[in-house]
Amino acid sequence: MRKFRLTILIAILVVGLLSMGVTYSAAQNNEQTLEVFHWWTAGGEKQAITNLFDAFREAFPQVTIKPNPVAGGAGITMKTVLKSLILAGKPPETFQVHAGYEMSPYVEAGNLQTINDIWTEEMRENIPGTLKDMVKFHGDFYAVPLDIHRANVVWYNTQIFKKYNIQIPQTLEEFFQVCKKLQAKGITPVSLGDRNKWPATHIFETLLISQGVEFYQKFINGNVEADNQKLLDTLQTFKRLLQYVNEDHAAETWDEAVGDVYQGEAAMNIMGDWANGYFKAKGWTSGEEYDIFMFPGTQNVYDLVVDCFELTKKAEDPEAGRKWLSFLGTVKAQNAFNPIKGSIPARTDAPKGPYGRVQKMFMDDLAAKQTVRVPSITHGSAVPPAFLSTLNDLVSRFVTNRNVEATANSIAQAVKSDFLPNKVKTWELGK
Ligand code: GAL
């Protein structure tokens, strides 16, 4: 009997100690910190990331988020800040990155962790194959896609279109007729805000696609010479379009240029559907105060821009990073972010209820058979970062000098010096 009592006592003690141990480690886990770098500071973007952070905090109250927003659309400034942090061995747990080529230098330098186990069956089944391929390197997953944006969109002020009885242009010639008509009425036809260069590259990319997907595929495979007629035509068209943009374009950012459409100072803006988030944040409803059409010649194309997050190798708190990534892959997270951001969810099984009209249209477009999905150049996916950086400079110079032949030459040169040596992928579009 005594022996039995002793055994029970020991058992109680052991259980007690074990549970103390468990409590102790849980208390330690309570103190998790997640540092997140991103560039979502403009109207719509800011509200979307704030809502996502709130939803994450609700799901993981033990994790403290340290947000680090770095202003500058398309990550133009954040990318530089990030590079120095990584070089200094002090990376945040996670940072915003575009799927595809933009991730490649980080992967090759060993800056990121593989996250195959974070990609649940549910995610693998419900995230499109194109996206999965874009975040996989050497057979391993390195990031979780949070959204799908579309780049080849024209946003217009419906009141201006109505006032001047303007029909949606179907061809490039019709588009220029609309521009001419608006200019004659004293309205800026197309607003541009290329202070940070990339919005000009964004238009250049849209015009490249309008020359045909076959040509775009050649371009993003680094297969383009200076005398390529379609490259010359793209630049000619761009030159023509530049007659119709606002004079102060070099002083404005992308969101200020979208703001010109909101103010009624310009009729149209060529931008990704983060502009949708901007208008929504201003209280506008699509189909009422603003509407869209796909840039002529790109009607069947979904120019994909995909924002992702990953886990850095030297993260101070990898567990917090893992929680963040697991969360981003859920329908809950995707629907906390995308309805506000203007994008559509990367999870195709996310309920459509919270989405607006344009977003629902784009969900259908993305799924449609006739749609060709292409990766964006300007937004990091399609070409090596070194080439993109040179291209931004060349296109930005072109906006001022408008020299078609010289720019085509410089682009072909940059393909040789900055693209081909860094080429790791051959794109096959429409497959
Ligand atoms: C893109 C990014 C979008 C949007 C935009 C403007 O590169 O993918 O999410 O934020 O820049 O900042």
Side-chain angles (χ1 to χ4, degrees):
M1 189 63 187
R2 261 188 73 193
K3 203 172 163 196
F4 178 68
R5 246 190 258 146
L6 193 69
T7 316
I8 291 201
L9 197 71
I10 289 172
I12 290 171
L13 266 173
V14 167
V15 169
L17 280 173
L18 276 179
S19 68
M20 270 171 71
V22 168
T23 319
Y24 177 61
S25 65
Q28 267 190 332
N29 282 346
N30 265 341
E31 302 300 318
Q32 292 187 345
T33 307
L34 175 81
E35 190 174 19
V36 186
F37 270 72
H38 65 88
W39 63 79
W40 288 319
T41 57
E45 301 181 328
K46 203 172 154 183
Q47 290 84 342
I49 186 73
T50 303
N51 206 48
L52 179 66
F53 284 154
D54 287 348
F56 178 74
R57 279 190 202 101
E58 209 180 287
F60 295 97
Q62 72 273 39
V63 183
T64 306
I65 307 177
K66 263 173 67 187
N68 250 315
V70 182
I76 207 87
T77 316
M78 195 212 80
K79 289 179 200 168
T80 320
V81 175
L82 232 283
K83 260 179 216 142
S84 33
L85 282 173
I86 287 180
L87 273 178
K90 290 190 173 7
E93 275 67 35
T94 191
F95 60 94
Q96 185 186 347
V97 74
H98 290 121
Y101 260 112
E102 193 171 299
M103 296 174 60
S104 154
Y106 300 116
V107 172
E108 300 312 328
N111 301 138
L112 304 181
Q113 311 253 21
T114 55
I115 51 163
N116 295 328
D117 57 329
I118 284 176
W119 272 79
T120 58
E121 269 314 301
E122 215 184 70
M123 282 169 68
R124 287 170 202 244
E125 267 166 33
N126 294 301
I127 292 180
T130 328
L131 264 61
K132 282 190 279 199
D133 289 347
M134 283 160 83
V135 297
K136 254 183 171 176
F137 292 82
H138 315 296
D140 289 316
F141 282 109
Y142 279 92
V144 175
L146 172 63
D147 62 29
I148 304 177
H149 273 297
R150 190 176 198 176
N152 52 317
V153 194
V154 184
W155 306 86
Y156 68 91
N157 180 313
T158 49
Q159 224 189 336
I160 298 180
F161 267 43
K162 248 184 236 145
K163 184 165 176 197
Y164 298 110
N165 193 22
I166 288 169
Q167 308 305 315
I168 303 300
Q170 300 299 329
T171 64
L172 202 57
E173 279 319 307
E174 284 176 15
F175 176 77
F176 281 124
Q177 277 161 23
V178 167
C179 289
K180 208 170 161 189
K181 186 169 176 181
L182 287 163
Q183 200 172 50
K185 303 283 180 199
I187 305 271
T188 299
V190 180
S191 62
L192 169 65
D194 62 340
R195 190 168 89 197
N196 290 326
K197 297 183 185 170
W198 68 267
T201 318
H202 187 106
I203 296 184
F204 172 73
E205 166 175 337
T206 311
L207 298 177
L208 280 178
I209 301 173
S210 76
Q211 292 292 326
V213 169
E214 215 177 293
F215 167 63
Y216 188 72
Q217 176 171 300
K218 274 189 165 178
F219 190 94
I220 62 173
N221 281 326
N223 183 4
V224 64
E225 300 291 335
D227 60 356
N228 184 304
Q229 196 51 50
K230 292 199 182 256
L231 176 60
L232 294 166
D233 289 350
T234 302
L235 290 164
Q236 273 307 346
T237 311
F238 198 4
K239 187 173 171 178
R240 203 170 158 198
L241 198 151
L242 286 168
Q243 299 168 43
Y244 298 110
V245 306
N246 43 316
E247 269 173 24
D248 62 348
H249 62 87
E252 290 195 340
T253 54
W254 76 265
D255 49 316
E256 285 167 345
V258 177
D260 292 342
V261 174
Y262 173 73
Q263 302 286 352
E265 283 162 15
M268 300 179 276
N269 184 270
I270 303 166
M271 191 43 66
D273 48 10
W274 40 96
N276 198 20
Y278 175 95
F279 288 126
K280 281 182 172 200
K282 291 279 186 196
W284 273 19
T285 307
S286 74
E288 288 179 25
E289 295 92 348
Y290 73 105
D291 215 332
I292 58 147
F293 59 90
M294 305 317 295
F295 191 84
T298 75
Q299 283 95 339
N300 285 341
V301 175
Y302 212 107
D303 187 5
L304 294 164
V305 180
V306 182
D307 294 302
C308 305
F309 285 86
E310 48 350 66
L311 178 61
T312 58
K313 260 222 180 110
K314 293 198 172 150
E316 244 177 69
D317 205 336
E319 267 321 301
R322 295 174 63 78
K323 287 195 171 88
W324 169 248
L325 295 182
S326 306
F327 183 65
L328 294 191
T330 63
V331 162
K332 187 164 189 221
Q334 306 235 332
N335 271 12
F337 180 79
N338 291 296
I340 306 174
K341 186 64 163 49
S343 38
I344 66 171
R347 285 280 299 251
T348 50
D349 59 333
K352 292 185 181 179
Y355 291 90
R357 174 178 150 270
V358 171
Q359 289 164 313
K360 284 181 182 142
M361 269 159 51
F362 283 4
M363 286 182 200
D364 291 344
D365 282 356
L366 188 68
K369 262 219 175 91
Q370 71 273 17
T371 302
V372 188
R373 295 154 203 85
V374 309
S376 165
I377 295 173
T378 316
H379 303 281
S381 295
V383 299
F387 175 70
L388 173 56
S389 159
T390 310
L391 187 67
N392 275 331
D393 290 341
L394 294 174
V395 172
S396 174
R397 247 177 271 156
F398 175 78
V399 172
T400 316
N401 68 34
R402 305 192 188 176
N403 189 331
V404 171
E405 277 78 24
T407 306
N409 264 318
S410 308
I411 290 176
Q413 199 49 47
V415 167
K416 292 197 177 72
S417 57
D418 300 329
F419 192 142
L420 299 179
N422 297 307
K423 183 175 170 176
V424 294
K425 189 173 174 67
T426 301
W427 296 99
E428 284 181 77
L429 305 178
K431 297 230 161 144

Coordinates of all heavy atoms in Angstrom, one line a residue, residues 39-42 45 72-75 79 96-98 102 147 149 198 254 271 274 305-307 337 341 343 378-380, ligand 1:
W39 N 5.8 47.6 -49.2 CA 5.8 49.0 -49.8 C 4.4 49.5 -50.0 O 4.1 50.3 -50.8 CB 6.6 49.0 -51.1 CG 6.1 48.2 -52.3 CD1 5.1 48.5 -53.1 CD2 6.7 47.0 -52.7 NE1 4.9 47.6 -54.1 CE2 5.9 46.6 -53.9 CE3 7.7 46.2 -52.4 CZ2 6.2 45.4 -54.6 CZ3 8.0 45.0 -53.1 CH2 7.2 44.7 -54.2
W40 N 3.5 48.9 -49.2 CA 2.1 49.3 -49.4 C 1.7 50.5 -48.5 O 1.2 50.4 -47.4 CB 1.2 48.1 -49.1 CG 1.2 47.1 -50.2 CD1 1.3 47.3 -51.5 CD2 1.3 45.6 -50.0 NE1 1.3 46.1 -52.2 CE2 1.3 45.1 -51.3 CE3 1.3 44.8 -48.9 CZ2 1.4 43.7 -51.5 CZ3 1.3 43.4 -49.1 CH2 1.4 42.9 -50.4
T41 N 2.0 51.7 -49.1 CA 1.7 52.9 -48.4 C 0.7 53.9 -49.0 O 0.3 54.9 -48.4 CB 3.1 53.7 -48.2 OG1 3.6 54.0 -49.5 CG2 4.1 52.9 -47.4
A42 N 0.3 53.5 -50.3 CA -0.6 54.4 -51.0 C -2.1 54.0 -50.6 O -2.3 53.0 -49.9 CB -0.4 54.3 -52.5
E45 N -3.8 50.4 -50.7 CA -2.7 49.4 -50.3 C -2.6 49.4 -48.8 O -2.5 48.4 -48.2 CB -1.3 49.9 -50.8 CG -1.2 50.0 -52.3 CD 0.2 50.4 -52.8 OE1 0.8 51.2 -52.0 OE2 0.6 50.0 -53.8
G72 N 7.2 53.9 -52.0 CA 7.8 53.7 -53.3 C 7.1 52.5 -54.0 O 7.5 51.4 -53.7
G73 N 6.1 52.8 -54.9 CA 5.4 51.8 -55.6 C 6.3 50.8 -56.2 O 7.5 51.1 -56.5
A74 N 5.8 49.6 -56.5 CA 6.5 48.5 -57.1 C 7.8 48.1 -56.3 O 8.7 47.4 -56.9 CB 6.8 48.8 -58.6
G75 N 7.9 48.6 -55.1 CA 9.1 48.2 -54.3 C 10.4 48.9 -54.7 O 11.5 48.5 -54.3
K79 N 13.4 47.5 -52.2 CA 14.3 46.5 -52.7 C 15.8 46.8 -52.3 O 16.5 46.0 -51.9 CB 14.2 46.3 -54.2 CG 12.9 45.6 -54.6 CD 12.9 45.5 -56.1 CE 11.5 45.3 -56.6 NZ 11.4 45.5 -58.1
Q96 N 8.0 41.6 -48.6 CA 7.2 41.5 -49.8 C 8.1 41.3 -51.0 O 9.2 41.9 -51.2 CB 6.4 42.9 -50.0 CG 5.5 42.9 -51.2 CD 4.9 44.3 -51.4 OE1 5.0 45.1 -50.5 NE2 4.2 44.4 -52.5
V97 N 7.7 40.4 -51.9 CA 8.5 40.1 -53.1 C 7.6 39.6 -54.2 O 6.5 39.1 -53.9 CB 9.6 39.0 -52.8 CG1 9.0 37.6 -52.6 CG2 10.7 39.0 -53.8
H98 N 8.0 39.9 -55.4 CA 7.1 39.4 -56.5 C 7.6 38.0 -56.9 O 8.7 37.7 -56.8 CB 7.3 40.3 -57.8 CG 6.7 41.6 -57.7 ND1 7.4 42.8 -57.8 CD2 5.4 42.0 -57.4 CE1 6.6 43.8 -57.7 NE2 5.4 43.4 -57.4
E102 N 12.3 38.0 -59.5 CA 12.7 38.9 -58.5 C 13.2 38.1 -57.2 O 14.0 38.6 -56.5 CB 11.5 39.7 -58.1 CG 11.8 40.9 -57.2 CD 10.6 41.9 -57.0 OE1 10.2 42.4 -58.0 OE2 10.2 42.0 -55.9
D147 N -1.7 37.5 -53.5 CA -2.7 38.1 -54.4 C -2.4 37.8 -55.8 O -1.3 37.3 -56.1 CB -2.8 39.6 -54.1 CG -1.4 40.3 -54.4 OD1 -0.7 39.8 -55.3 OD2 -1.2 41.3 -53.8
H149 N -2.6 40.3 -59.1 CA -3.0 41.6 -59.7 C -2.9 41.5 -61.2 O -2.3 40.6 -61.8 CB -2.0 42.7 -59.3 CG -2.4 43.4 -58.0 ND1 -3.5 44.1 -57.8 CD2 -1.7 43.4 -56.8 CE1 -3.6 44.6 -56.6 NE2 -2.5 44.2 -56.0
W198 N 9.2 53.4 -62.9 CA 8.5 52.2 -63.3 C 7.1 52.4 -64.0 O 6.8 51.6 -64.8 CB 8.4 51.2 -62.1 CG 7.5 51.6 -61.0 CD1 7.8 52.3 -59.9 CD2 6.1 51.4 -60.9 NE1 6.7 52.6 -59.1 CE2 5.6 52.0 -59.7 CE3 5.1 50.8 -61.7 CZ2 4.3 52.0 -59.3 CZ3 3.8 50.8 -61.3 CH2 3.4 51.4 -60.1
W254 N 2.7 57.1 -59.0 CA 1.6 56.3 -59.6 C 0.2 56.7 -59.1 O -0.7 56.9 -59.8 CB 1.8 54.8 -59.6 CG 1.5 54.2 -58.2 CD1 2.4 53.9 -57.2 CD2 0.2 53.7 -57.7 NE1 1.8 53.3 -56.1 CE2 0.4 53.2 -56.4 CE3 -1.1 53.7 -58.2 CZ2 -0.6 52.7 -55.6 CZ3 -2.1 53.2 -57.4 CH2 -1.9 52.7 -56.2
M271 N -2.7 51.3 -65.6 CA -2.1 50.8 -64.3 C -2.7 49.5 -63.9 O -3.7 49.1 -64.4 CB -2.5 51.9 -63.2 CG -1.8 51.8 -61.9 SD 0.0 51.5 -61.9 CE 0.7 52.9 -62.7
W274 N -4.2 47.7 -58.5 CA -4.1 48.3 -57.2 C -4.7 49.7 -57.4 O -5.1 50.3 -56.4 CB -2.6 48.5 -56.8 CG -1.6 48.8 -57.8 CD1 -1.2 50.0 -58.2 CD2 -1.0 47.9 -58.7 NE1 -0.3 49.9 -59.2 CE2 -0.1 48.6 -59.6 CE3 -1.0 46.5 -58.9 CZ2 0.7 48.0 -60.5 CZ3 -0.2 45.9 -59.9 CH2 0.6 46.7 -60.7
V305 N 0.6 40.0 -61.9 CA 1.5 40.6 -60.9 C 1.2 39.9 -59.6 O 0.0 39.9 -59.2 CB 1.3 42.1 -60.8 CG1 2.2 42.7 -59.7 CG2 1.5 42.9 -62.1
V306 N 2.2 39.2 -59.0 CA 1.9 38.4 -57.9 C 2.8 38.8 -56.7 O 4.0 38.6 -56.7 CB 2.1 36.9 -58.2 CG1 1.7 36.0 -57.0 CG2 1.3 36.5 -59.5
D307 N 2.1 39.3 -55.6 CA 2.9 39.6 -54.4 C 2.9 38.4 -53.5 O 2.0 37.7 -53.3 CB 2.1 40.7 -53.7 CG 2.1 42.0 -54.5 OD1 3.2 42.5 -54.8 OD2 1.0 42.5 -54.8
F337 N -7.4 40.6 -47.2 CA -6.5 41.5 -47.9 C -7.1 42.0 -49.3 O -7.2 43.1 -49.6 CB -5.2 40.8 -48.1 CG -4.1 41.6 -48.8 CD1 -3.4 42.7 -48.2 CD2 -3.8 41.4 -50.1 CE1 -2.5 43.4 -48.8 CE2 -2.9 42.1 -50.8 CZ -2.2 43.1 -50.2
K341 N -7.6 45.5 -51.5 CA -6.4 45.8 -52.3 C -6.7 46.0 -53.8 O -6.0 46.7 -54.5 CB -5.4 44.7 -52.2 CG -4.0 44.9 -52.9 CD -3.3 46.1 -52.2 CE -1.8 46.1 -52.6 NZ -1.5 46.0 -54.0
S343 N -7.1 43.5 -55.9 CA -6.6 42.3 -56.5 C -7.6 41.1 -56.3 O -8.6 41.3 -55.7 CB -5.3 41.9 -55.9 OG -5.3 42.1 -54.5
T378 N 7.7 44.6 -65.5 CA 7.9 45.7 -64.5 C 7.7 45.3 -63.1 O 8.4 45.8 -62.2 CB 6.8 46.8 -64.8 OG1 6.7 47.0 -66.2 CG2 7.1 48.1 -64.1
H379 N 6.8 44.3 -62.8 CA 6.6 43.9 -61.5 C 7.3 42.6 -61.2 O 6.7 41.6 -60.7 CB 5.1 43.9 -61.2 CG 4.5 45.3 -61.5 ND1 4.6 46.3 -60.6 CD2 3.9 45.8 -62.6 CE1 4.1 47.4 -61.1 NE2 3.7 47.1 -62.3
G380 N 8.5 42.5 -61.6 CA 9.5 41.5 -61.1 C 9.5 40.1 -61.6 O 10.4 39.4 -61.3
Ligands
GAL1 C1 3.2 46.4 -57.5 C2 2.7 45.5 -56.4 C3 1.3 45.9 -56.1 C4 1.1 47.4 -55.9 C5 2.0 48.2 -56.8 C6 2.1 49.7 -56.5 O1 4.5 46.1 -57.8 O2 2.7 44.2 -56.9 O3 0.8 45.2 -55.0 O4 1.3 47.7 -54.6 O5 3.3 47.7 -57.0 O6 2.8 49.9 -55.3

